[in-house]
Amino acid sequence: HVVCPIPWFPKLYYKTLWRVWDSRALAIGDGANDVAMLQSADVGIGILGKEGRQAVNNSDFAIGQFRFLGRLLLVHGQLSYYRLAHLIKYSFYKNISFALVFFYYQFYCGFSSQAIIDSIKATIFNVVLSSMPILLLATVDKPAEMNSLMAHPQTYNRSRALSSWNFWKAALVKSTLSSALSFFVPYLSSTVKGKHGTQGVYSLGATIFIALLGIIGIEILMLSRSWTWIFVAATFLSYILAYVFLPLWEALLRAFKFPNPEYAGIAEEIFSSPAFWLQILLCYLIAFGVRFVDRAVKIHLFPEDYDVLAEMDLKRRYSGDGDGSKPASSPLISIPSFRRSEREEGPDPEANPQTER
């Protein structure tokens, strides 16, 4: 649909059009007469031109020339949707996983409201230990190269990362499995043998806490499509900080003469127990195996457009067909969205020079 701005019509005119079409509206303007249209649309883009800055001041995004609209939509628009979708799903995933651990433990403590993880660990879980990886993923991660997104506009608005199934799968199914794995493996395999056991409630809570932190770290590493050194370093550092926090917090409590049985000797007890290391290793192996199989099945049997573009970028990068700055079309693209676009655009006349003769 194309809408012509009418200067003397109020904002209600445009809002009525958007409601009739029942769809998202994007408005583009460069002058003061376009302000009502820009403010009423879902997304307003102002062009900085000769008519002043009124359109830019009342828009959501500003561009210098109209030709920048393609990159704004195809690259920055897709990247924003992709990153925001993963930020929302992962935030729900890790918080529901953490909450379900307390729910599982109530069946084994007579529903006495005894917390398996203390409040200090619960505070640093979100604020310190699991915040940096998802913030970096929502900032620098990308599903494919930017040039590939520009060369294949068919991928625009094809992603279903925030569909009902994908959201609830991440929010409920994955979180239920991750929390169950981090709780039941240490609980059912806790031992009382040897000098250092892991059967105490505080030792068990610390083991579950570290196991869950590692599992959500594996999840975000498998979720990312483009690893950077700062993202990988932040993920591993967030996990290693859990091992530093336990003895450090215990030392601080002793220094200030504030005894706390939830931390007194717990770090030495679990770190000296072979059962602790075997428990978290088993949790990580199962979590990685399940996630790896899920990812492999999805890529090979149910690939998305981004999966195909990423494979094309890798093949072009390692086959020596160029530096990747100008992606070319490839016969590997055979998913429905690409095939449908090729039928609508028609055959490429440069692909077969004999057709013109």
Side-chain angles (χ1 to χ4, degrees), residues 295-328:
R295 182 69 178 158
V297 170
K298 180 179 179 297
I299 291 178
H300 289 281
L301 298 182
F302 309 99
E304 296 181 354
D305 295 358
Y306 293 150
D307 298 324
V308 178
L309 286 181
E311 182 179 355
M312 291 172 55
D313 292 335
L314 289 176
K315 286 181 177 292
R316 184 169 51 253
R317 183 181 304 174
Y318 293 106
S319 62
D321 293 340
D323 58 353
S325 59
K326 184 179 180 181

Side-chain angles (χ1 to χ4, degrees), residues 116 121 201-211 246 266 270 276:
I116 189 64
K121 294 191 187 74
V201 61
Y202 302 131
S203 300
L204 179 63
T207 304
I208 294 174
F209 177 75
I210 295 178
L246 292 179
I266 299 300
I270 62 175
F276 165 78

